[in-house]
């Protein structure tokens, strides 16, 4: 359910965000259904996929030194920060040395990490984030605080909803690493060229929000990963 307008963080209470907020206020039933679906589906999937995740964890542990999981601070609904759970796909110190986003050919990515990223298996632990209410199955991918600080006033509208595991932008930009390959400053190219384009899709999804529309995005994501 949405907070009252007066309860939103000050940087979100701008006139560019208000039209998105007013539309979502009319869809409170769909927002409730979205949360119930997220919680129940995440519980069922986590229970079913635990053996698979145990095998993946074993591969990650044997492939390179470091912990099995990668935790990073991201931003979700109303600008709240949280720790995202993912299987580690980089060398244990890779995130500390290099850009925030990954380009094709990034030497920090491990051998098993390349496979996990190809099929998005590294994101399975985000089921925990969904259960905790940090994320949803469908929604704007959560960015690190550095990138959120680059948002325009209108982009803040994406923070009206929980961050998501997938979205239309995720499908359209599933080859994002390839697009960034060879960039001299990966983070700046992402901010200048890719983030604004992804946000066009994200803002459209907020404006057209509907529970069954999101189910369709989830189905399309599964198809996109399988191909």
């Amino acid at each position: 359910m949405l907070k009252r307008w007066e309860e939103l963080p000050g940087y979100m209470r701008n006139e560019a965000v208000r039209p998105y907020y007013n539309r979502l206020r009319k869809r409170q039933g769909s927002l409730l259904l979205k949360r119930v679906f997220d919680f129940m589906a995440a519980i069922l999937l986590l229970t079913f996929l635990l053996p698979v995740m145990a095998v993946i964890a074993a591969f990650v542990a044997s492939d390179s030194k470091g912990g099995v999981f990668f935790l990073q601070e991201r931003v979700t609904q109303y600008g709240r920060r949280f720790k995202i759970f993912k299987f580690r796909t980089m060398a244990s110190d890779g995130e500390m040395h290099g850009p925030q986003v990954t380009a094709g050919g990034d030497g920090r990515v491990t051998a098993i990490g390349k496979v996990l990223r190809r099929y998005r298996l590294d994101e399975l632990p985000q089921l925990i984030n969904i259960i905790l209410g940090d994320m949803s199955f469908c929604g704007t991918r959560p960015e690190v605080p550095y990138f959120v600080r680059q948002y325009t006033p209108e982009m803040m509208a994406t923070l009206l909803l929980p961050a998501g595991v997938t979205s239309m932008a995720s499908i359209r930009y599933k080859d994002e690493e390839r697009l960034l390959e060879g960039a001299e400053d990966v983070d700046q190219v992402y901010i200048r060229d890719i983030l604004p384009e992804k946000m066009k899709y994200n803002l459209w999804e907020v404006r057209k929000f509907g529970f069954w529309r999101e189910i369709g995005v989830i189905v399309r994501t599964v198809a996109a990963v399988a191909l």
Side-chain angles (χ1 to χ4, degrees):
M1 306 297 283
L2 280 180
K3 288 184 176 182
R4 292 185 304 169
W5 177 259
E6 296 76 16
E7 296 175 330
L8 299 181
Y11 55 83
M12 291 182 64
R13 281 184 276 123
N14 65 70
E15 291 309 306
V17 170
R18 189 181 288 276
Y20 296 91
Y21 178 84
N22 290 339
R23 286 176 180 268
L24 290 175
R25 286 288 295 178
K26 299 176 182 178
R27 293 172 170 80
Q28 296 283 52
S30 291
L31 289 171
L32 178 60
L33 185 58
K34 171 185 174 75
R35 177 55 190 154
V36 172
F37 170 82
D38 283 339
F39 184 79
M40 297 302 296
I43 288 286
L44 290 173
L45 283 173
L46 185 60
T47 301
F48 178 75
L49 293 173
L50 273 177
V52 176
M53 294 173 67
V55 172
I56 293 175
F59 274 113
V60 172
S62 64
D63 184 55
S64 60
K65 295 181 180 179
V68 169
F69 296 107
F70 166 69
L71 278 71
Q72 186 184 50
E73 188 175 65
R74 300 287 182 96
V75 180
T76 188
Q77 189 176 32
Y78 307 131
R80 181 170 63 85
R81 299 189 182 192
F82 73 103
K83 293 291 186 180
I84 194 171
F85 293 95
K86 302 178 73 172
F87 282 118
R88 182 174 58 81
T89 59
M90 289 186 178
S92 57
D93 62 346
E95 191 63 28
M96 299 174 60
H97 304 91
Q100 295 289 317
V101 291
T102 310
D106 194 318
R108 298 174 296 170
V109 181
T110 63
I112 188 64
K114 293 176 182 177
V115 177
L116 296 181
R117 284 172 176 246
R118 167 65 181 84
Y119 297 103
R120 298 186 68 170
L121 295 173
D122 59 316
E123 297 182 4
L124 288 179
Q126 289 168 42
L127 290 168
I128 299 171
N129 289 122
I130 294 175
I131 293 169
L132 294 174
D134 297 326
M135 295 181 65
S136 172
F137 279 104
C138 188
T140 301
R141 285 294 298 168
E143 300 283 8
V144 297
Y146 172 71
F147 290 140
V148 175
R149 288 194 291 270
Q150 317 305 316
Y151 282 10
T152 65
E154 185 179 17
M155 290 178 185
M156 292 298 176
T158 61
L159 300 179
L160 290 170
L161 296 173
V165 175
T166 190
S167 64
M168 283 304 301
S170 298
I171 297 172
R172 298 284 185 177
Y173 284 85
K174 66 176 184 177
D175 297 323
E176 178 182 299
E177 293 184 5
R178 180 178 57 80
L179 296 175
L180 290 168
E181 188 171 0
E184 185 173 340
D185 189 328
V186 175
D187 285 345
Q188 287 306 309
V189 171
Y190 178 78
I191 293 170
R192 185 189 69 224
D193 299 335
I194 295 182
L195 182 61
E197 294 303 312
K198 288 170 68 175
M199 277 297 179
K200 290 179 182 178
Y201 290 103
N202 292 329
L203 289 168
W204 188 87
E205 290 293 331
V206 176
R207 191 161 56 245
K208 299 294 184 179
F209 170 75
F211 175 73
W212 293 109
R213 182 186 296 277
E214 292 200 341
I215 295 297
V217 172
I218 294 171
V219 172
R220 293 182 65 173
T221 299
V222 174
V225 172
L227 294 178

